[in-house]
Amino acid sequence: MGAGHAHALYVRRDSVVHRLPPHCKIVATVGFVLAVAITPRHEVWAFAAYALLLAGVTVVARIPFGTVLRRMVIEIPFVAFAFFLPFVARGERVEVLGLALSVDGLWGAFGILAKGTLGVVASILLAATTEPRTLLLGVERLGLPPLLTQIATFMFRYLDVVADELRRMRIARAARGFEARDLRDAKVLARSLGALFLRCFERGERVHLAMLSRGYDGAMPVLAEVGASRRQWALSAALPAAAGLVAAAAWMAVWTLR
Amino acid sequence: MDASLEVSGLAYAYPDGTQALFGVTTSVRRGERVALLGPNGAGKTTLVLHLNGILHGGAGTVRVGGMPVDPSDKKALKEIRRRVGVVFQDPDDQLFMPTAREDVAFGPANLGLRGAALERRVEEALERVGMAEFADRAPQHLSFGQRRRVAVATVLAMEPEILVLDEPSSNLDPASRRELAEILLSLDVTILMVTHDLPYAAQLCPRSLILSGGVIAADGPTLELLADAELMAAHRLELPFGFIPQALSGA
């Protein structure tokens, strides 16, 4: 049946980080990313410090470094742009391996790459230590309208079911000799998608009936209360607080050296 | 008479004008297990959706445990939906929460249960279908038979007056089918079972109703109805190869 790929990002471990309430971790992640984002890009040591902080979290959360590294691949298409900057930016040039590169461009590329990577790693850690459904509880706790989190919860639940239906339709197509070769086959695929949409729509109706039958009146009952103690908040504040200090120090360095 | 379910003169036409029910009258006593048989398109599902007030607007009345189903009275409707536990055909439609435990808790939580009382109710319901050890599994990680059992638990957790099952044996392998039968027989609850699986009806339900063309065409002991070849043929009901109801009734 379902391959359960929706859980793929979560790494089951027992650690302090895993046990923290989801909304604390979300706030901590956002705080960390903000601190990284405002850091002046010329202060290279600051980014090294951030990387060390994340490495520390990775160790505490008992996530293998290899796992984090492998997942960082997702970043590549987003930072591809950074590699062009040294070639296209204007201003002072510097000779590197016989290529004349823009100094500003190089710094720009470094900034995007460093900040992007740190943000991606922070999110990877959040996803690895928090189950998707508690993540949803967390954002709801932080004030996202329940309707949106309900939609996300259902999407999460039915992703496998829909993927299964899609696979069955593909097998049915293949069983009758269909193989998508070029653009002309798009018509067949579009029809399949239409059929899939209808099936999902009908399933939605049936699920709604089932919910009504069990007393649903527009609000999901709150089953798991995700409260956070002061200690847990303090603990999860450690990362963004440290990052904040680094950012402040970086700016201090910029001002005093000027 | 101590009736769990009384249906009288129920008629219904869908908004597109298709008339599905033409005056259905019947009643089910408390503790009885009744099979609702009928060919495709006989109006079985339409009847089921009337029992808990999801469909309404035609003629006739439905009473559950003496309480009339009145869709305009929201509060009463909530109580009706607690009393009538519908187990739908596709467990994927019924199990919409992230884990089995949360799904079973959904109904009683809507009834206002919280905390330890809610937990106890959930544990008990899962226990009754033999699924307690799978409470924290996601539904997509359960086998089809297990999902159907959890679907039964979601309804049992609401302590219904009557359990309504839509095609409970469909898509089950023979072992899961037998396990579900054992579970259903062990429950001390009124059951109305919609099915095409006539041997299943014979095994589980002493009494059967035949719904055909939107009316109750026959009502009697299951084995007698199944043995009546003329009646069966008139309503497009056919026994599987090799199944002889006379052999079961000892006649």
Side-chain angles (χ1 to χ4, degrees):
Chain A
M1 292 307 294
H5 48 72
H7 297 279
L9 287 179
Y10 182 68
V11 181
R12 191 172 294 281
R13 290 280 189 287
D14 184 32
S15 84
V16 189
V17 187
H18 283 75
R19 279 194 299 268
L20 281 177
H23 47 293
C24 299
K25 280 188 271 190
I26 296 168
V27 171
T29 308
V30 172
F32 175 82
V33 170
L34 279 180
V36 171
I38 62 164
T39 306
R41 62 191 179 207
H42 293 271
E43 304 301 315
V44 179
W45 60 270
F47 295 101
Y50 292 138
L52 275 181
L53 284 176
L54 287 183
V57 174
T58 312
V59 171
V60 174
R62 300 206 207 148
I63 308 290
F65 280 103
T67 309
V68 178
L69 283 178
R70 247 178 290 122
R71 290 181 185 176
M72 280 165 65
V73 173
I74 191 180
E75 186 191 13
I76 288 173
F78 298 96
V79 293
F81 168 72
F83 291 104
F84 291 106
L85 271 183
F87 298 98
V88 297
R90 290 148 192 261
E92 205 184 320
R93 298 261 148 184
V94 62
E95 195 88 1
V96 179
L97 298 171
L99 291 170
L101 300 179
S102 153
V103 173
D104 269 356
L106 278 173
W107 277 116
F110 170 73
I112 292 176
L113 209 58
K115 292 179 179 183
T117 307
L118 288 167
V120 166
V121 172
S123 322
I124 288 173
L125 287 176
L126 177 66
T129 58
T130 320
E131 272 184 280
R133 34 179 303 269
T134 53
L135 207 55
L136 289 171
L137 285 179
V139 287
E140 186 172 321
R141 177 89 185 184
L142 290 172
L144 193 76
L147 192 63
L148 290 181
T149 53
Q150 272 181 45
I151 291 172
T153 310
F154 280 115
M155 195 183 80
F156 176 61
R157 161 69 180 90
Y158 284 102
L159 207 57
D160 283 348
V161 176
V162 174
D164 239 28
E165 261 172 52
L166 197 60
R167 198 176 58 231
R168 282 201 300 271
M169 287 163 83
R170 203 195 60 227
I171 291 171
R173 278 198 310 265
R176 284 183 283 157
F178 175 80
E179 205 181 321
R181 250 169 259 117
D182 54 36
L183 211 57
R184 278 167 302 172
D185 295 328
K187 205 168 116 188
V188 178
L189 297 177
R191 286 220 180 106
S192 300
L193 273 185
L196 185 69
F197 174 77
L198 278 183
R199 284 192 198 181
C200 291
F201 187 81
E202 284 169 0
R203 183 178 295 279
E205 278 190 330
R206 292 197 305 270
V207 171
H208 187 236
L209 273 186
M211 293 174 74
L212 286 180
S213 299
R214 283 195 279 149
Y216 177 73
D217 55 4
M220 292 301 257
V222 179
L223 298 172
E225 196 52 64
V226 279
S229 69
R230 213 168 274 189
R231 209 182 72 83
Q232 288 171 315
W233 274 115
L235 203 59
S236 54
L239 176 71
L245 281 179
V246 174
W251 276 110
M252 296 269 275
V254 169
W255 285 325
T256 51
L257 293 179
R258 196 174 275 164
Chain B
M1 188 174 86
D2 197 12
S4 272
L5 177 71
E6 294 160 276
V7 181
S8 117
L10 192 66
Y12 182 78
Y14 278 96
D16 67 359
T18 317
Q19 181 96 14
L21 300 178
F22 294 84
V24 171
T25 302
T26 188
S27 79
V28 176
R29 273 195 320 280
R30 184 159 292 152
E32 228 180 346
R33 287 193 303 274
V34 179
L36 183 63
L37 313 174
N40 285 336
K44 299 190 298 290
T45 305
T46 311
L47 177 58
V48 165
L49 292 179
H50 272 90
L51 301 184
N52 63 359
I54 283 175
L55 287 182
H56 52 79
T61 59
V62 177
R63 296 168 83 87
V64 182
M67 188 174 177
V69 178
D70 174 10
S72 60
D73 184 349
K74 283 263 182 280
K75 224 172 146 187
L77 200 60
K78 212 166 175 168
E79 170 61 15
I80 288 293
R81 285 180 182 165
R82 180 194 73 75
R83 291 186 183 193
V84 181
V86 184
V87 179
F88 290 91
Q89 195 173 348
D90 185 347
D92 272 328
D93 295 342
Q94 186 125 18
L95 307 178
F96 43 78
M97 299 291 276
T99 63
R101 182 192 302 283
E102 284 169 89
D103 221 299
V104 177
F106 180 85
N110 280 329
L111 300 176
L113 247 64
R114 290 290 181 273
L118 179 62
E119 252 168 65
R120 208 167 36 244
R121 188 76 78 86
V122 171
E123 285 297 325
E124 218 176 80
L126 284 168
E127 199 71 56
R128 285 167 84 182
V129 298
M131 288 296 292
E133 55 184 309
F134 300 100
D136 292 309
R137 285 272 193 100
Q140 57 266 42
H141 297 156
L142 296 171
S143 76
F144 195 85
Q146 290 173 327
R147 271 182 277 170
R148 171 129 327 134
R149 273 148 69 182
V150 174
V152 173
T154 64
V155 168
L156 286 180
M158 302 180 75
E159 299 189 338
E161 167 85 36
I162 179 167
L163 190 60
V164 180
L165 301 147
D166 191 0
E167 295 288 358
S169 61
S170 67
N171 286 328
L172 292 184
D173 58 36
S176 313
R177 180 176 174 278
R178 172 189 50 76
E179 282 164 1
L180 184 67
E182 283 164 6
I183 287 163
L184 292 178
L185 284 171
S186 75
L187 300 174
D188 183 23
V189 58
T190 314
I191 289 179
L192 181 68
M193 184 171 106
V194 177
T195 189
H196 287 297
D197 186 343
L198 301 177
Y200 216 48
Q203 182 185 357
L204 292 175
C205 304
R207 175 182 162 209
S208 285
L209 305 170
I210 294 178
L211 186 68
S212 181
V215 293
I216 298 288
D219 178 353
T222 304
L223 289 176
E224 272 177 37
L225 294 187
L226 297 190
D228 186 340
E230 214 170 298
L231 176 76
M232 296 282 283
H235 301 294
R236 275 188 75 77
L237 292 172
E238 277 179 27
L239 293 165
F241 177 76
F243 182 79
I244 302 159
Q246 287 86 345
L248 284 174
S249 59

